[in-house]
Amino acid sequence: TPTKLVGKKISPIFAIPEDGLVMMESLDIIEKIDQDERFGVSGQIQPATGRSDIKAWQKSVQTLLRTLQRPRYVATGLLPEFQQLDGRHAFIKNHQLPPYEKPEWKGDGTDDNPGMPMDEKLKLYAEAMAKDPAPLLEDLNSKLIELDDLVYSKHFCSEGGLSMDDIDLWARLRSITIIKDVEW
């Protein structure tokens, strides 16, 4: 189970038992696979370029995406990790909605574990899912137009070919597909 492997309920988890290796960060896993010839030709993905413009764009949509995506992840059950109630609750417990920050979200509202009670978190997720997304969609669609000017080509977001920039950005963009009526 995830908790036995890495001490908490999280995905993804990548393990190579013969190496005693257990990893839980997606980008680290991708870099490991790209560098290890046991998984095929290595070195196919260039390192991240450190583009501050793309990082700034990602930061500019962080609150917007958390508000739109997080409730939809747990409400739709499209992803395997959200098909069980325990998985949905674990996600909600650990992923705050704006405007809350982690310290005020974490915990369960008891004296021993201050923070927000789970019932309140569930209520906030339900309210966010029920809210009309039109104004937020307008903002997101505008931000996607801004991003278009930052992308180097239709194949790569940065000059020089496939890089960790692409892996990071395209994964975030893929996650947007859970939001209905986004204009690409």
Side-chain angles (χ1 to χ4, degrees):
T1 67
T3 306
K4 286 181 185 174
L5 287 170
V6 296
K8 59 184 173 178
K9 209 172 213 179
I10 191 170
S11 72
I13 296 172
F14 179 72
I16 305 177
E18 61 271 18
D19 293 355
L21 176 71
V22 178
M23 302 174 82
M24 61 182 179
E25 293 296 331
S26 301
L27 295 177
D28 294 340
I29 294 168
I30 292 165
E31 285 183 306
K32 173 64 178 168
I33 291 170
D34 186 52
Q35 295 168 359
D36 192 322
E37 292 184 357
R38 291 179 288 184
F39 301 105
V41 178
S42 62
Q44 298 299 299
I45 304 171
Q46 300 297 317
T49 63
R51 287 188 55 189
S52 59
D53 56 345
I54 289 179
K55 290 294 179 196
W57 181 87
Q58 290 172 337
K59 184 76 172 160
S60 78
V61 296
Q62 183 179 47
T63 297
L64 183 60
L65 293 181
R66 284 179 177 176
T67 304
L68 287 167
Q69 291 171 321
R70 288 181 174 179
R72 283 159 180 79
Y73 290 151
V74 295
T76 62
L78 291 173
L79 299 172
E81 57 265 35
F82 299 128
Q83 292 181 1
Q84 300 294 320
L85 184 62
D86 285 350
R88 293 190 298 272
H89 282 194
F91 183 85
I92 291 169
K93 177 183 174 188
N94 293 307
H95 293 85
Q96 77 275 12
L97 289 175
Y100 299 96
E101 296 296 329
K102 271 191 182 185
E104 58 191 326
W105 188 269
K106 288 279 191 175
D108 60 15
T110 63
D111 289 339
D112 292 338
N113 194 9
M116 188 180 295
M118 189 62 175
D119 288 347
E120 182 67 18
K121 294 173 190 174
L122 292 169
K123 178 182 168 209
L124 290 168
Y125 262 74
E127 288 171 354
M129 188 63 195
K131 190 175 180 180
D132 178 10
L136 297 176
L137 276 170
E138 188 176 317
D139 291 346
L140 178 56
N141 289 333
S142 173
K143 290 302 235 174
L144 288 169
I145 291 168
E146 287 177 25
L147 177 63
D148 195 46
D149 291 336
L150 303 179
V151 173
Y152 173 73
S153 75
K154 69 179 186 176
H155 300 290
F156 315 112
C157 67
S158 297
E159 190 172 1
L162 181 67
S163 72
M164 291 302 290
D165 295 349
D166 296 292
I167 304 299
D168 187 29
L169 179 63
W170 301 137
R172 293 171 196 269
L173 293 175
R174 182 204 50 85
S175 295
I176 294 173
T177 63
I178 200 164
I179 306 165
K180 186 178 177 186
D181 296 328
V182 171
E183 294 174 8
W184 299 92

